[in-house]
Amino acid sequence: MEVLYVSKDLQNNVNGFSMRVSFILTGLGLLLMAIFAGVANSYINKTLLANSDIRLGLLGFILVVILDVIVAWGLYLILKSANHELALLVFVLRLVYASILACSLMPLIQAMNISNGAITAEINTEMFVQVNLFTNYWNMGLI
């Protein structure tokens, strides 16, 4: 089993950022991603039940995509001196996931466009279909 050694340089500074700042921003980003994703997902499901606007849920997921890119960068900074190849792999995989999540938002945008104006049973059904597409695409990205 390989033991990772963290040098004194890493403990103090990584590309002009203190390690403490990198750890705090990455941890805070992960925490905010979990909160925003949970709230946005709950909001979208409640929106379908209440026949209301889906924009707030969409905004929450856009924030999750942005935070995921920031977290990918932070993890890369933290891990690169211990194992550059592994840090790069983590960075690329997080960016791939953020890209999949960003692409999976297209059905939510479609649902938002559908919902402009009066909400009828037919429109609500179409919104439900679009939200289910989003959920399926997002779940594929989580695998």
Side-chain angles (χ1 to χ4, degrees), residues 44-83:
I44 287 171
N45 290 330
K46 288 179 186 175
T47 297
L48 289 178
L49 296 174
N51 294 337
S52 63
D53 199 358
I54 204 165
R55 282 181 255 195
L56 188 59
L58 182 60
L59 176 64
F61 279 113
I62 290 170
L63 290 173
V64 169
V65 170
I66 293 167
L67 285 169
D68 213 341
V69 172
I70 292 169
V71 165
W73 172 72
L75 287 173
Y76 174 75
L77 289 179
I78 291 167
L79 297 174
K80 76 177 184 175
S81 69
N83 187 333

Side-chain angles (χ1 to χ4, degrees), residues 1 4 15 21 35 38 42 50 55 57 59 64 67 69 71 81 98-99 108 110 117 120 127 140 142-143:
M1 181 170 164
L4 297 177
N15 289 346
V21 171
I35 292 169
S42 295
R55 282 181 255 195
L59 176 64
V64 169
L67 285 169
V69 172
V71 165
S81 69
S99 300
L108 288 183
Q110 182 64 27
T120 64
M127 285 176 62
M140 284 190 288
L142 292 172
I143 293 176

Side-chain angles (χ1 to χ4, degrees), residues 7-51:
S7 69
K8 287 286 184 189
D9 295 342
L10 176 63
Q11 293 172 2
N12 297 326
N13 207 346
V14 176
N15 289 346
F17 289 96
S18 74
M19 284 304 294
R20 185 171 192 267
V21 171
S22 296
F23 280 115
I24 289 171
L25 289 178
T26 302
L28 186 61
L30 283 168
L31 180 65
L32 288 174
M33 277 186 347
I35 292 169
F36 286 146
V39 169
N41 197 34
S42 295
Y43 184 81
I44 287 171
N45 290 330
K46 288 179 186 175
T47 297
L48 289 178
L49 296 174
N51 294 337

